[in-house]
Amino acid sequence: AAKDVGKNSFHFFNDQMLIDISKALELESELQTALDQEQFCLFLQPKFDLVTGVLDSFEALVRWRHPEKGMIMPNHFIPQMEEGELIFQLGRWVISHGLNIIKGLEKSGLGKYKLAVNLSARQFCDDKLVDYLKDCLSDISGDRLELEITENVLIHSSGLAASVMKQANELGVTVALDDFGTGYSSLSYLRQLPVDVIKLDRSFIAPTEDNQESRMIVESVIDLAHKLNKTVVAEGIETQEHLTFLQNSRCDSAQGFLLSKPIDEIDLPDILAKGEVKQQAFDRILPDAT
Ligand code: C2E
Ligand code: MG
Ligand code: MG
Ligand code: MG
C-alpha cells in the first residue's frame, strides 16, 4: 500500500503542475514589484441616484498597468493576491488612493462624491483594518466611504466580519453586500449583518428585459430591502429598458455601461470638468422620470 501511495504522489506532481507552480511564483514576485512601483491604478465607475439622475458616487475598480503587457483586469491578479499577504497591501492602497482622488475632485470644485471600494474576504477579517480606516478618514467624513463585500466572503467568517462591519459603521462608513443573489443564504445575512446597501448582481438585471419572473424577483428584493431599511443599487445597467424598469421598481441607485463605463482616474477630472458624465445621465434618466 505504501508503494501505491508513493506512486500516486509521484504522479500527483506532473509536468503541467510544476509549470503552473513556477508561473504562480513568477506572478507573485511580479505583483510585489507592481505594488512597490505603483503599477496599479484605479478606474472609477459612476453611480447615479435613480430619482434625481445625479451622479453621487464612484466605485473604485483596480487595474494593473503592466509595463509590457498593458492593462490587466482584476480577475487575473486578485485571486492570486488573495492567497498570500499581498491582498492586504493592495486593499489598503485602493482605500487611501481612492479617497485621495475623491478629496482631489472636491478641492478642484468638481463635486462631492462618495467612494465605494471592494474588499476581499481576508481583509474583512483583518482587525487592523479599522485602525487603517480611521487614519484614512482623518480629513474626510466616514460617510464618504462605502465598503463592498461579497456574500461568499461571509460564509466562512461571519462572526469576525460582522464585528469589523459594526466598527466601520461606527465611523460612519457604510457597508454594501455586493453581487447580491449569487451567493448562499443571502436572506439570513440581511438579518445578521449590519449591511446598509444591497447591490443586485447584474445576472439578476440582464434577464429582466424579457422575463416576467425575473422582474418579479427584482421587484420583491427591492421591496424586501426597503422594508429592512436598506437601499438598493443595481449593477450592470446596459439598456434603457433596464433603467426604466428599475426606476419604476423604486430601485435607489444604478451603475452600468449604459450610464457610464469605469473611467481611468487620469481622465476623470477632465471628463467631470467638461460635464460629460453628468450630462449623459440626465439625458437618459429625466425623460422617463417626468
Ligand atoms: P464587482 O465589484 O461586481 O464590479 C463590477 C464589475 O462589473 C466591474 O468589472 C465593472 O467593470 C463591471 N461592470 C460595470 N458595469 C457593467 C455593465 O453594465 N455590464 C457589464 N457586463 N459589466 C459591468 P471589473 O472592473 O473587471 O471587476 C471585476 C471584479 O473584481 C469586481 O466585481 C470586484 O469583485 C473585483 N475587484 C475590482 N477591484 C477590486 C479591488 O480593488 N479589490 C478587490 N478585492 N476586488 C476588486
Ligand atoms: Mg463591487
Ligand atoms: Mg457583480
Ligand atoms: Mg458587484
Side-chain angles (χ1 to χ4, degrees):
K3 198 177 142 206
D4 286 348
V5 171
K7 206 171 164 188
N8 284 340
S9 38
F10 173 75
H11 282 286
F12 186 71
F13 285 99
N14 59 32
D15 287 352
Q16 186 52 50
M17 283 171 146
L18 288 173
I19 291 169
D20 290 348
I21 290 168
S22 77
K23 271 192 185 154
L25 288 173
E26 197 183 314
L27 178 60
E28 178 95 8
S29 85
E30 265 198 279
L31 285 165
Q32 182 64 63
T33 308
L35 278 166
D36 297 342
Q37 300 184 353
E38 282 222 55
Q39 290 171 8
F40 291 103
C41 65
L42 294 180
F43 272 54
L44 294 127
Q45 187 174 32
K47 199 166 73 181
F48 297 85
D49 182 306
L50 270 180
V51 177
T52 59
V54 168
L55 163 58
D56 57 10
S57 92
F58 290 97
E59 177 175 4
L61 297 160
V62 72
R63 308 276 181 265
W64 180 7
R65 232 188 271 278
H66 193 285
E68 286 118 43
K69 295 175 199 152
M71 202 67 88
I72 304 180
M73 301 302 274
N75 57 316
H76 294 289
F77 57 87
I78 297 265
Q80 168 90 15
M81 294 180 102
E82 277 173 340
E83 279 172 27
E85 302 304 301
L86 295 179
I87 194 66
F88 296 104
Q89 265 187 76
L90 179 75
R92 285 193 289 266
W93 179 82
V94 172
I95 294 170
S96 64
H97 189 70
L99 282 173
N100 282 339
I101 294 173
I102 292 292
K103 290 173 204 168
L105 293 177
E106 189 174 358
K107 273 193 202 116
S108 316
L110 291 172
K112 198 173 166 181
Y113 306 101
K114 183 161 177 163
L115 179 79
V117 300
N118 294 284
L119 285 194
S120 287
R122 301 209 16 245
Q123 263 195 291
F124 238 99
C125 300
D126 172 14
D127 49 15
K128 292 192 288 287
L129 177 71
V130 178
D131 284 334
Y132 187 75
L133 290 177
K134 280 182 195 156
D135 284 348
C136 291
L137 295 170
S138 64
D139 57 351
I140 188 169
S141 158
D143 62 8
R144 300 280 293 281
L145 180 66
E146 186 155 281
L147 305 177
E148 296 193 4
I149 179 166
T150 54
E151 288 176 272
N152 52 0
V153 160
L154 301 168
I155 289 163
H156 304 290
S157 53
S158 186
L160 199 52
S163 119
V164 171
M165 282 163 127
K166 280 202 191 80
Q167 293 177 70
N169 272 174
E170 281 157 19
L171 300 174
V173 175
T174 52
V175 176
L177 206 47
D178 203 354
D179 303 331
F180 184 80
T182 59
Y184 306 92
S185 313
S186 316
L187 295 175
S188 68
Y189 286 131
L190 287 186
R191 191 170 50 80
Q192 290 166 21
L193 296 169
V195 168
D196 309 284
V197 181
I198 286 170
K199 234 179 148 178
L200 276 177
D201 191 66
R202 70 167 185 271
S203 61
F204 263 109
I205 306 306
T208 57
E209 214 161 288
D210 50 20
N211 185 284
Q212 171 71 10
E213 282 176 355
S214 298
R215 284 194 290 275
M216 285 160 65
I217 290 171
V218 168
E219 283 165 352
S220 307
V221 171
I222 293 171
D223 283 347
L224 173 70
H226 286 165
K227 278 182 183 137
L228 294 169
N229 223 358
K230 299 173 195 312
T231 59
V232 184
V233 182
E235 62 176 25
I237 306 301
E238 293 183 347
T239 66
Q240 182 59 50
E241 285 73 24
H242 292 156
L243 184 59
T244 306
F245 165 67
L246 287 161
Q247 284 181 307
N248 292 337
S249 310
R250 298 177 197 286
C251 186
D252 303 281
S253 311
Q255 202 181 333
F257 292 168
L258 175 78
L259 301 166
S260 173
K261 295 212 162 170
I263 301 165
D264 191 328
E265 56 173 301
I266 294 172
D267 304 324
L268 188 61
D270 207 36
I271 284 179
L272 287 172
K274 288 182 181 147
E276 282 166 5
V277 184
K278 250 179 188 155
Q279 197 59 45
Q280 188 185 356
F282 275 105
D283 280 354
R284 293 190 200 266
I285 292 179
L286 284 184
D288 277 290
T290 47

